[in-house]
Amino acid sequence: MGYALPFPPFRQVSTLSTKELIQVAVRFVSIGDNLASPEPQFRSHWVLSLEEEELLPPINVFGILPNGHYVLIMHEEGVFTLWDVRPTSIPGPGRFLARHEVSDETVSMEYTTEGSDGTCIVVAAFSEETDLPTIFVFQLQLNFPSEGSSHGIPEVVRSDLAKFCINPFRYFARIALQEGLCFAWYNSEDEEKITVSILDYRSSKRMDLETDIIATTSPDALIYHGNLIFHHDKLASAVVNAYFCVTQNLRSVAIHSRPGDVDTIHKAPDRSAIIPLQPPDSSSKTHLVPNLTWNTIHPTNTPNANTLCGSPSIFATETLSPKHGWTPHLSARWMEPQGALDRLRTGATTDAPLTRTWIDLEGPTSARQSDGFEFLISTTCGLRMLWVSYLEDGDPETSDDEVLYFIPLLTPDDRVRGEDGKRLLRLPINFENILTMDFSDESGTLVIASNVDENSEEVSAEWWKESNVNQVLHIFQY
């Protein structure tokens, strides 16, 4: 658990030759050694201009697809684009692969890959534009020129799968794609309890479940073999609630469904447990603040089908520091779903805490952002965090320089505090222009989206005037 292997894209492990498996192992060790070194060095850096027939809306968020070869971007105005970021691919306009639009502005996105070779990309996008929050589900099917080959430029077939609305919510709403299901969990406007809506987007079946779990925190959730698990962290314990075999309650609905199309089920969890966690040591500032509020950082597409990767449940909180202002704290807890379900079913108890990495970050998250943990971002498989902060060199002249730190969320096999592995990534870009970023744990690919820097050596005045480009992707290969 906790490893992401750089397999060739869109290939089943059983089809790889001995030579290819050796190459995977060598590349895996090379990436790990580089990132664990005192000063990780990128092997290559190039810039992709987001150039299309018309100027694209600003970027909201993006995700690196498994194996680090493609990037899916969610823009403002309900626009989605797919780009080829392979270093050996054809340069220029050939990098643009597809554009898809939904009817409303979207604020968050989840994605996964389906099929034995992972060439079907399923996307769920969340919108708050209308009276009823809406989730759009669509797919991008990559068809390569020859069967069994992923080296050419694929044809992308776009299709809408479903659209479903949920009740208005008060504090939070999150979405996920797992086991061929799209589900959203949120607290309704008139209740402090968590409600979940689950949609089978291929067979048009839905269920709505109102739990009696109080939404005092923002819990994480997962569906595993048809069972629904809610869980969240406290300072020294994890609270786990399970609903067994919930997918048996799915009922047929129209492709565009709304609340009330199926009867809402009101039900307490089948099993609940409070499991002890390894608390932070006495030096952590979290001991000084009672009743901290925890926020879920849900790694998109984890674990994904093309890796041998588990993923941690990541929760963040913050405390007020006289020196740095609000500073973040991370709890990365590794929980194996089947073991948790077996424990809940049998009612077994143990005093052995779940394994957790606890990290106190010294310094504020980038002050340019005012909406929480904007620049504290999980990597693709949840193995690491990207954190934009300020340079910790003690030099007053550079104390306001924003930099990128790379923080491992260590697996249960590691016995070192997470902060000991924090690394500064020295990159030739202006952090004042960055929009968002992602890192592929499988391929060691860092992608940073930024506005075009007119003063950059890579941008000529003539190109700036003639192009339809206002945003670029910086691709770093480690």
Side-chain angles (χ1 to χ4, degrees):
M1 179 168 60
Y3 298 98
L5 300 180
F7 291 123
F10 313 119
R11 295 275 303 281
Q12 298 183 59
V13 177
S14 60
T15 68
L16 300 181
S17 66
T18 301
K19 181 180 178 180
E20 288 174 317
L21 289 171
I22 292 173
Q23 291 172 340
V24 168
V26 170
R27 179 76 181 116
F28 171 74
V29 172
S30 174
I31 294 171
D33 288 347
N34 187 6
L35 296 176
S37 65
E39 294 191 9
Q41 302 293 318
F42 56 85
R43 297 186 297 122
S44 63
H45 168 222
W46 58 283
V47 181
L48 172 61
S49 301
L50 300 186
E51 185 172 3
E52 210 203 343
E53 293 179 356
E54 58 185 86
L55 201 65
L56 286 166
I59 294 173
N60 264 341
V61 69
F62 70 85
I64 305 175
L65 297 180
N67 311 103
H69 285 214
Y70 300 93
V71 167
L72 175 68
I73 300 177
M74 184 183 80
H75 303 262
E76 294 180 4
E77 302 174 18
V79 174
F80 296 79
T81 57
L82 183 67
W83 301 82
D84 185 340
V85 297
R86 293 175 292 178
T88 57
S89 189
I90 299 173
R95 297 285 188 176
F96 169 74
L97 297 178
R99 176 178 178 139
H100 188 78
E101 297 186 22
V102 298
S103 58
D104 299 322
E105 176 95 16
T106 52
V107 295
S108 64
M109 169 184 76
E110 294 290 321
Y111 63 90
T112 190
T113 53
E114 294 184 349
S116 59
D117 55 4
T119 56
C120 180
I121 305 164
V122 178
V123 184
F126 184 65
S127 172
E128 301 177 33
E129 285 288 289
T130 57
D131 292 339
L132 290 178
T134 303
I135 299 164
F136 300 89
V137 186
F138 62 91
Q139 75 175 23
L140 305 172
Q141 175 64 50
L142 307 184
N143 295 327
F144 289 92
S146 59
E147 186 176 353
S149 173
S150 59
H151 298 295
I153 299 176
E155 174 194 11
V156 182
V157 180
R158 302 172 291 115
S159 55
D160 292 308
L161 298 178
K163 174 182 174 182
F164 71 109
C165 301
I166 62 175
N167 286 312
F169 59 91
R170 183 177 297 178
Y171 299 124
F172 69 89
R174 301 187 182 279
I175 58 175
L177 287 164
Q178 292 167 5
E179 298 192 353
L181 304 169
C182 178
F183 59 104
W185 63 102
Y186 54 95
N187 66 317
S188 58
E189 285 188 326
D190 55 351
E191 293 284 348
E192 292 295 328
K193 298 177 180 179
I194 293 174
T195 298
V196 60
S197 297
I198 303 174
L199 181 75
D200 183 331
Y201 45 81
R202 297 205 180 274
S203 61
S204 295
K205 293 182 177 181
R206 171 175 178 157
M207 71 166 290
D208 292 333
L209 169 68
E210 183 183 281
T211 75
D212 69 350
I213 302 171
I214 303 299
T216 54
T217 61
S218 171
D220 204 352
L222 62 92
I223 291 178
Y224 183 77
H225 292 178
N227 303 287
L228 174 64
I229 303 175
F230 287 105
H231 52 109
H232 68 270
D233 278 11
K234 294 185 176 181
L235 195 65
S237 63
V239 180
V240 184
N241 297 280
Y243 289 85
F244 300 137
C245 304
V246 293
T247 53
Q248 295 178 358
N249 297 299
L250 290 166
R251 299 292 181 265
S252 296
V253 292
I255 293 177
H256 180 190
S257 64
R258 301 167 63 88
D261 288 353
V262 293
D263 292 334
T264 299
I265 299 172
H266 303 268
K267 192 174 186 294
D270 294 312
R271 291 287 189 278
S272 299
I274 298 177
I275 304 174
L277 284 176
Q278 295 167 326
D281 62 38
S282 58
S283 65
S284 173
K285 297 181 179 63
T286 55
H287 285 289
L288 305 177
V289 183
N291 302 320
L292 285 169
T293 299
W294 296 87
N295 298 293
T296 302
I297 299 177
H298 186 85
T300 298
N301 188 31
T302 57
N304 68 63
N306 286 355
T307 71
L308 302 180
C309 171
S311 61
S313 301
I314 304 171
F315 299 89
T317 189
E318 57 186 358
T319 58
L320 186 60
S321 163
K323 180 179 179 181
H324 298 296
W326 290 104
T327 61
H329 307 266
L330 290 176
S331 166
R333 168 175 47 78
W334 295 79
M335 180 180 72
E336 197 278 311
Q338 186 60 59
L341 286 170
D342 292 343
R343 181 174 179 175
L344 288 168
R345 282 195 175 100
T346 61
T349 60
T350 176
D351 293 331
L354 295 175
T355 302
R356 161 162 83 170
T357 298
W358 183 271
I359 305 173
D360 292 309
L361 297 175
E362 291 298 329
T365 299
S366 176
R368 290 182 290 111
Q369 302 295 323
S370 59
D371 49 352
F373 303 103
E374 184 71 21
F375 281 129
L376 184 61
I377 299 173
S378 164
T379 57
T380 56
C381 295
L383 302 183
R384 303 168 175 95
M385 300 295 293
L386 300 170
W387 184 43
V388 177
S389 185
Y390 297 98
L391 190 61
E392 299 177 359
D393 63 355
D395 185 345
E397 293 185 3
T398 61
S399 60
D400 292 332
D401 290 347
E402 290 177 316
V403 293
L404 178 60
Y405 287 102
F406 196 72
I407 306 165
L409 301 178
L410 302 178
T411 71
D413 298 327
D414 296 302
R415 302 301 178 200
V416 184
R417 283 178 56 88
E419 64 183 8
D420 296 337
K422 185 173 70 173
R423 297 291 185 264
L424 171 64
L425 300 185
R426 299 188 182 276
L427 305 173
I429 62 175
N430 184 350
F431 277 86
E432 291 184 357
N433 294 320
I434 66 171
L435 301 169
T436 185
M437 65 192 74
D438 198 6
F439 181 86
S440 169
D441 288 309
E442 305 101 310
S443 65
T445 305
L446 171 65
V447 181
I448 297 178
S450 74
N451 292 316
V452 172
D453 186 354
E454 298 180 53
N455 299 316
S456 170
E457 296 178 358
E458 299 160 339
V459 177
S460 67
E462 182 179 352
W463 178 87
W464 172 256
K465 292 178 181 178
E466 295 179 356
S467 71
N468 278 329
V469 176
N470 61 351
Q471 297 160 105
V472 297
L473 298 181
H474 289 267
I475 295 96
F476 299 89
Q477 192 67 52
Y478 283 86

